[in-house]
Each structure stands twice: as structure tokens, then as C-alpha cells.
């Protein structure tokens, strides 16, 4: 039996052989002549590269995960995979710019418009203007619906909390279990709800979030839950201190119903987490499909009606991908806009926090409450005041939407058809579409992968050494790949970040935002073997992050809004990205974009907490 691993390990080159025989191969190599990148002169453009690799699960994933963490894997297999997937690209580039290790951008100094409405006035207008829940057809229950119940006396936060507790007990007994909320506490929920009920009775509510059910991704510390970050080995003791996000939600009067599921350590985009504490969350629209990740539970909880607001983090699309797959709204703020103090520091230069909500109006309300400087989080201390200026304008006249059509069209046919129509709809509201060129997107992709994986490997190196056997197979393989990147790779990737941020500054002098599909495909199907061993699908990871990575590498904000459904009934979304600190323009466009989808389909799994 001792010889079995030695016999089987060479078989792990099979994915590489299949790729070389059947897939597309990068013609360059690390040994190629260095391509000099001069400031202000982007490289020649080409369509985004599709990467093919076999989907691994079950036995093959076990074997692959073992092999890449052997000497054979480290010195032969992984270097081969790095070259195959073009991850050695940085080694063939000579970039003149100095590296930017943190994508902090100084706020522009603008004149204060005294006639502009205050954020509180706009929030009130958003709540008052939203359609009544009694309108025909299905609509998600949002913040307005909860506030209407509380203010009219139809329900109290305490009664809502009891409904939520009953639903939480029920949804994980169903077949299959939803697995959106992985830790919750009856007593904690009721304490927050009863305090909110008293405030409504005494007419002294704290904010528009008072009494609103909210879930928080397990990546954040939330008292008194375990800060497991999707693992079985972290958070052995209950937390005694809240992350800033959780603290601000409590100060706003929200009811934190628990912490939500996530892809282990944020290392993937499916949400597939087979370990004993988490299991795989189900997509409320199609329970046999993934939710997307890594903020998987937050998106599933919102789409299933457990709460109208979920909080996630986004280092490679981890808010926007699950929001898109689950048919709800997701906002990744500007880097540093919402404090990440108290979250597990997996990647310090790519991760932003943001809300996942039932509507753009709800996302705007949550954003307005959470977005402000935090003395405990240095990256957002110099941010401008968060506003919702012009969000309720009657049309989009005067706004210029930038579209790189070559990049835009790198998606599935169904996604493209719906997203093109959505862009036309925005034009009909007065916006103009300007064709732009997004330079060096292949370099952006590779630079982002190097930055996020290098930083994660650095943070998780002690865990990798001490808790290797307790990690999911996919995590072991991903961190093994991360070990292949050198200090020079990391520095060159951050030089590319400098270039890409400069290109964006130039683009944003001509347009207000950049529009792309949210994700190039719809949510993938869950395979039976995934429930036990998880999965590893490099092709899907590349495809799912295609439109996400630019915002994560450069720190600009991004908003995804559902715009339709595939023929299989899976949600499709459009993404709008803006310049640093200009979330307001994204929310203004998103509010109008919601009107494009003339009908909202009810998810297969949906709980009406207010019924």
C-alpha cells in the first residue's frame, strides 16, 4: 500500500496532458524576450483568453490535491500548470511604473452644492417611492416592507424575529437544506428584536435599519458566534468583540439573525464548502445549482427571504458573483469605503466590503449607514463623505456609459443577449453609450490572481503548515498554486496595478462608468461528489471572475443588478463600475436598471417572513 501514492501521483499530470491536447495553449513563456511596457502606452488588445481544464471532484480532486503538495507537484506539475494558464505572464513583462501595493486613491475636492438634498432626505424618498408590496406579481420583501409593518403596527420586530427563528429551524431540515445561515442564536435574535420593538413603541428608532433582519458573512467577527471563516479549525471560542460592520449594524438597530455560510477562506467562486460546519448552500432559484462565492450564504439568505440585507466581502467578485447567481443586488464599495476591521485579513489589497440586498434602494440605505472612516481601519480614513447625490433623478440624461464591446461580449450567448438589451434600455432613459478600450485585461487578470493568492498564502502559511489535513481539498490545491509565485511576480503585478489605475483615470475623464455583464455564465450545477469532497473547476473560476477582477485590482466600486433569466430560469445580471468614491452614480444607474426586468421570478426556495 505504501507504493500506491507513488504509482498514482504521475496520473495527476492527466489534466495537464488533456489541456495541452484539447485546450488553448499560451504561446509565450517565461523565457520569452521581455516585453517593455512604457508609461501611457498600453499593449495591443486581444479578446479575453478562455482557459480549459477538466473539472475535478471526488477521487481525482483528492489525487490532484495530494499531488500538488508533494515535491513532484511543486517542482514539475504546478510549474507546468502555471505556464499553461498564462500565470507566468508577469515574468515576460518589463513595466516601468513603480508598484502600487494598496489601491488607495485620494478623494477629489469638489464644491459642496448647498441645494443638494441630504442623504437622509434621499433615503426617505427612496423608501417612499418604492412600489407597494401589494403590487401584482412576485416581489422580494425589502426594507420598506418591514418598515411599513412596524410603523403601521401590523407586526413588531419581536414577532418578525419569532418568524425568522421558526424559518431558520425549518430551512435546514428541508431536503436539501438551504445552509445559508450557519450560526444563529435564538436568545440573541430575540434580545435585539425586543429592544427594537421598544424603540418603535416609544417612537425613538435609531435608523432606517431599526428592526431590519440582517446576516453577516462568517468572515467578520460577530459576538457571540465563532469566527470560523468557512473552516473547521478557526474560531474555537466564541467571539467577544464585534467587527466594525457588525458594531455599526447594532448601533443602527438592525437584528443580526446570524452569520452566513462562505466558501472556505474565500478561496473559490462557487460557494462549495463540504466541511461539517458549513456544507454547500443552495441557490434559491435552483437548489441543485451553486450560489456563487465566497459570500455564498449572504446571497442565499437574501434571495430566500430570510432577511432583506446580507453583508459580504469581495476580493475577486465575492459579493457580486453570488448576488448575480442568486438574482439579487450586490455592491462592492471603493477599496476602504466600508471598514473591514474585524474581518479575517485574507488579502489586504483586493478586498472590499459591501451589502447584498433585495433592491438597489436597500443597497443605498445600507451603504449610507456603513460607509464612513473607521479609526481602526487605515485604508478609508481619507475618504469623502458618502452621498446619494442625484440618485433619484428622473432619468439618466448627461451620463456617459463606457462599454468595451470586445470585452463585453466575452460571455455566454444568453447572458450577452440580455445584457445588450439592458444597455439599450439605459440609452432609452437618456444615457449615452461611449465605446472605450480597457487596456491589458489579460495582464489585469494575472496581476489580480498573483496579488490575491500571494497575500492569502502569506496570511495562511501558519494554517497551511498546522491545519493542512483539516482544510478542504480545493483550498489545499489553491494554496499550493499560490506558493509558485515569487517576490518578483508580486512586485510586477503591483506595477501592473499602477498602470491599470492610470488607464482608468484617463477613461473616467470621458465616461461616468463602465458597463459589463456581471458574470459570463449562469450558476453551475452541483455534482453529487461535490457534497463530499468539494470541487475544483479552473475554467469556471476564470470565467466567473472575468468581469470582476478589474475593480478588485484597482479598488474602484462595482454594482451588479439582476436584468433577466436564462431559459433554465437562472438569474443574469449587469455590472456597472465607477470611479473611486463615486458609488452614487452606480446607485443612480442601478435604480433605473431595475426597471428593465419587467417581471421578477419567485425563487424555488422562498420564505415570506412578513406573511
Amino acid at each position: 500500500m505504501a507504493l500506491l501514492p507513488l504509482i498514482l501521483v504521475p496520473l495527476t499530470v492527466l489534466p495537464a496532458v488533456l489541456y495541452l491536447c484539447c485546450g488553448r495553449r499560451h504561446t509565450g513563456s517565461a523565457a520569452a524576450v521581455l516585453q517593455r511596457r512604457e508609461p501611457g502606452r498600453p499593449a495591443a488588445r486581444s479578446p479575453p483568453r478562455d482557459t480549459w481544464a477538466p473539472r475535478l471532484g471526488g477521487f481525482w480532486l483528492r489525487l490532484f490535491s495530494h499531488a500538488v503538495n508533494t515535491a513532484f507537484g511543486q517542482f514539475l506539475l504546478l510549474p507546468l500548470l502555471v505556464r499553461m494558464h498564462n500565470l507566468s505572464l508577469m515574468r515576460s513583462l518589463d513595466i516601468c511604473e513603480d508598484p502600487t501595493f494598496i489601491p488607495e486613491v485620494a478623494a477629489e475636492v469638489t464644491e459642496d452644492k448647498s441645494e443638494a438634498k441630504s442623504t437622509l432626505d434621499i433615503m426617505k424618498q427612496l423608501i417612499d417611492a418604492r412600489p407597494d408590496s401589494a403590487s401584482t406579481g412576485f416581489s422580494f420583501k425589502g426594507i420598506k416592507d418591514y418598515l411599513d409593518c412596524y410603523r403601521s403596527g401590523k407586526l413588531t420586530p419581536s414577532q418578525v424575529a419569532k418568524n425568522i427563528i421558526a424559518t431558520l429551524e425549518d430551512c435546514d431540515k428541508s431536503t436539501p437544506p438551504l445552509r445559508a445561515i450557519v450560526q444563529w442564536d435564538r436568545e440573541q435574535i430575540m434580545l435585539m428584536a425586543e429592544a427594537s420593538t421598544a424603540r418603535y413603541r416609544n417612537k425613538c428608532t435609531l435608523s432606517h435599519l431599526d428592526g431590519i433582519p440582517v446576516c453577516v458573512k462568517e468572515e467578520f467577527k460577530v459576538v457571540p458566534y465563532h469566527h470560523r471563516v468557512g473552516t473547521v479549525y478557526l474560531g474555537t471560542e466564541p467571539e467577544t468583540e464585534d467587527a466594525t460592520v457588525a458594531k455599526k449594524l447594532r448601533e443602527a438597530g438592525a437584528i443580526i439573525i446570524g452569520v452566513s455560510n462562505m466558501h472556505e477562506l474565500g478561496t473559490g467562486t462557487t460557494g462549495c464548502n463540504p466541511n461539517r460546519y458549513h456544507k454547500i448552500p443552495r441557490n434559491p432559484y435552483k437548489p441543485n445549482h451553486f450560489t456563487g462565492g465566497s459570500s455564498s450564504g449572504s446571497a442565499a439568505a437574501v434571495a430566500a427571504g430570510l432577511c432583506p440585507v446580507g453583508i459580504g466581502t469581495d476580493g475577486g467578485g465575492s459579493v457580486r458573483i453570488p448576488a448575480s447567481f442568486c438574482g439579487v443586488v450586490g455592491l462592492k464599495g471603493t477599496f476602504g469605503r466600508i471598514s473591514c476591521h474585524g474581518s479575517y485579513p485574507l488579502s489586504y489589497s483586493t478586498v472590499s466590503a459591501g451589502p447584498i440586498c433585495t433592491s438597489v434602494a436597500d443597497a443605498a440605505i445600507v451603504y449610507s449607514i456603513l460607509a464612513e472612516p473607521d479609526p481602526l481601519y487605515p485604508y478609508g480614513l481619507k475618504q469623502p463623505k458618502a452621498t446619494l447625490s442625484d440618485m433619484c433623478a428622473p432619468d439618466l440624461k448627461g451620463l456617459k456609459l463606457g462599454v468595451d464591446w470586445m470585452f463585453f461580449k466575452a460571455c455566454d450567448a444568453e447572458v450577452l443577449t440580455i445584457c445588450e438589451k439592458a444597455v439599450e434600455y439605459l440609452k432609452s432613459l437618456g444615457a449615452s453609450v461611449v465605446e472605450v478600450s480597457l487596456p491589458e485585461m489579460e495582464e489585469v487578470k494575472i496581476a489580480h490572481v498573483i496579488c490575491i493568492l500571494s497575500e492569502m498564502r502569506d496570511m495562511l502559511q501558519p494554517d497551511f503548515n498546522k491545519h493542512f489535513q483539516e482544510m478542504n481539498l480545493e483550498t489545499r490545491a489553491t494554496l499550493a498554486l499560490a506558493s509558485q509565485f515569487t517576490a518578483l511576480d508580486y512586485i510586477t503585478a503591483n506595477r501592473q496595478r499602477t498602470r491599470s489605475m492610470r488607464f482608468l483615470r484617463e477613461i473616467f475623464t470621458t465616461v461616468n462608468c463602465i458597463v459589463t455583464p456581471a458574470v459570463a455564465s449562469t450558476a453551475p450545477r452541483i455534482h453529487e461528489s461535490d457534497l463530499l469532497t468539494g470541487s475544483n473547476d479552473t475554467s469556471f473560476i476564470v470565467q466567473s471572475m472575468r468581469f470582476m477582477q478589474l475593480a478588485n485590482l484597482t479598488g474602484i466600486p462595482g454594482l451588479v443588478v439582476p436584468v433577466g433569466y436564462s431559459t433554465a430560469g437562472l438569474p443574469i445580471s449587469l455590472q456597472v463600475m465607477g470611479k473611486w468614491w463615486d458609488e452614487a452614480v452606480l446607485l443612480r444607474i442601478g435604480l433605473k436598471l431595475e426597471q428593465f426586468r419587467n417581471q421578477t421570478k419567485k425563487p424555488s426556495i422562498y420564505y415570506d417572513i412578513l406573511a
Side-chain angles (χ1 to χ4, degrees), residues 122-132 144 361 392 591:
I122 295 174
M123 288 167 69
K124 185 178 184 302
Q125 186 178 352
L126 288 171
I127 290 173
D128 293 342
R130 289 184 59 202
D132 187 60
K144 170 184 169 59
C392 296
L591 198 64

Side-chain angles (χ1 to χ4, degrees), residues 64-71 73-74 78 457 464 468 476-477 479-480:
F64 180 73
S65 176
H66 169 73
V68 293
N69 284 289
T70 63
Q74 288 290 310
L78 281 174
R457 177 75 192 214
F464 190 74
F468 178 82
R476 299 181 205 176
L479 293 178

Side-chain angles (χ1 to χ4, degrees), residues 191-262:
L191 280 173
M192 287 180 277
E194 287 164 1
S196 180
T197 297
R199 290 192 293 271
Y200 275 98
R201 186 168 54 244
N202 296 325
K203 300 188 185 317
C204 59
T205 53
L206 300 173
S207 77
H208 291 298
L209 286 184
D210 207 325
I212 303 301
V214 178
C215 69
V216 180
K217 185 179 183 180
E218 200 180 54
E219 193 168 329
F220 288 100
K221 294 179 179 179
V222 182
V223 178
Y225 303 110
H226 296 266
H227 190 210
R228 293 188 176 122
V229 201
T231 72
V232 296
Y233 65 85
L234 288 172
T236 55
E237 298 294 329
E239 277 304 317
T240 57
E241 184 179 354
D242 278 328
T244 297
V245 161
K247 181 181 177 183
K248 290 183 71 65
L249 290 171
R250 292 188 201 274
E251 291 172 348
I255 302 172
I256 300 176
I257 68 170
V259 294
S260 50
N261 207 340
M262 64 176 287

Side-chain angles (χ1 to χ4, degrees), residues 247-315:
K247 181 181 177 183
K248 290 183 71 65
L249 290 171
R250 292 188 201 274
E251 291 172 348
I255 302 172
I256 300 176
I257 68 170
V259 294
S260 50
N261 207 340
M262 64 176 287
H263 204 111
E264 185 181 65
L265 297 168
T267 55
T269 61
T270 58
C272 183
N273 188 351
N275 75 45
R276 67 180 182 273
Y277 285 147
H278 298 87
K279 302 300 180 185
I280 297 176
R282 301 300 179 130
N283 190 318
Y285 273 95
K286 291 277 185 177
N288 58 344
H289 286 249
F290 284 117
T291 56
S294 63
S295 305
S296 51
S298 294
V302 171
L306 296 178
C307 52
V309 177
I311 306 298
T313 57
D314 191 315

Side-chain angles (χ1 to χ4, degrees), residues 49 63 87 89 158 164 211 217 345 385 391-392 395 397 485 491 516 528-529 538 604:
R49 297 176 184 272
L63 188 58
L87 296 176
L89 174 62
S158 295
I164 290 171
K217 185 179 183 180
K385 183 176 177 58
M391 185 173 171
C392 296
D395 53 42
K397 290 179 180 177
F485 301 127
I491 291 171
T516 70
E528 201 65 32
S529 63
T538 302
S604 299

